Amino acid sequence: MNIQDRLQEDMKQAMRNREKERLSVIRSVKAALQNEAIKTGSDLSLDEVLTVLNREMKQRKESLHEFEQANRQDLSNKMKYEIEILSHYLPKQLTEEELQAIVDETITETEASSKAEMGKVMGAVMPKVKGQADGTQVKKLVEKSLS
């Protein structure tokens, strides 16, 4: 079952169970996927679906950070719940050790030796970890490895 089918089934289940918050999150994700499909003019590939899901996750994490800084516990809790729901649709996240191994391997492949070549390494790492790691985490590991 692909991600979009899972979203559809989970949406029906949330309606049956009267889970308003969960239903709201699923609907917003489905709307984002639909908007992307309209923008591209065709059905979305798995890669494009993951890109949209990652964008939605990133927006919620940024909002969570802002709400926590503003001491808005109510909104912070809502964002944590939405992040938890979204995480069910994303692939399993890589551990730091697994990610470090991919970064080291890519640095060897690209023969990068300084921070000036960070863009080249990031460009090669990100497609390998699509949907499985946060870009900021990858950036930190690449910086650490190249310094």
Side-chain angles (χ1 to χ4, degrees), residues 107-128:
I107 289 172
T108 305
E109 287 172 6
T110 58
E111 299 174 356
S113 58
S114 68
K115 280 192 176 182
E117 297 173 291
M118 192 170 152
K120 180 168 54 169
V121 176
M122 287 294 292
V125 170
M126 290 311 290
K128 292 179 182 179

Side-chain angles (χ1 to χ4, degrees), residues 94-104 137 141:
L94 295 171
T95 64
E96 191 164 337
E97 294 79 27
E98 293 169 327
L99 193 55
Q100 184 65 55
I102 292 171
V103 167
D104 292 341
Q137 184 184 17
L141 291 175

Side-chain angles (χ1 to χ4, degrees), residues 20-146:
K20 289 181 182 178
E21 293 85 11
R22 186 167 182 236
L23 182 60
S24 172
V25 174
I26 293 171
R27 281 184 173 156
S28 73
V29 170
K30 283 182 61 69
L33 289 169
Q34 183 67 31
N35 288 339
E36 189 69 22
I38 291 169
K39 195 166 84 176
T40 61
S42 64
D43 287 343
L44 299 179
S45 67
L46 178 59
D47 229 21
E48 291 168 323
V49 170
L50 289 176
T51 300
V52 172
L53 289 174
N54 281 323
R55 183 175 43 218
E56 292 292 311
M57 181 66 90
K58 183 177 180 185
Q59 287 173 353
R60 283 165 174 81
K61 284 182 178 178
E62 289 170 355
S63 295
L64 174 63
H65 179 71
E66 294 295 321
F67 293 146
E68 285 176 343
Q69 284 187 333
N71 288 328
R72 292 293 309 266
Q73 197 60 42
D74 56 334
L75 296 173
S76 175
N77 289 340
K78 182 178 187 276
M79 281 302 120
K80 286 177 185 173
Y81 180 72
E82 289 186 14
I83 288 169
E84 181 185 325
I85 300 281
L86 265 177
S87 66
H88 294 291
Y89 303 103
L90 288 169
K92 182 181 147 299
Q93 298 295 294
L94 295 171
T95 64
E96 191 164 337
E97 294 79 27
E98 293 169 327
L99 193 55
Q100 184 65 55
I102 292 171
V103 167
D104 292 341
E105 175 187 315
T106 306
I107 289 172
T108 305
E109 287 172 6
T110 58
E111 299 174 356
S113 58
S114 68
K115 280 192 176 182
E117 297 173 291
M118 192 170 152
K120 180 168 54 169
V121 176
M122 287 294 292
V125 170
M126 290 311 290
K128 292 179 182 179
V129 299
K130 183 112 179 148
Q132 297 177 318
D134 184 42
T136 54
Q137 184 184 17
V138 174
K139 182 180 175 219
K140 287 177 189 173
L141 291 175
V142 170
E143 277 181 338
K144 188 175 89 175
S145 297
L146 288 177

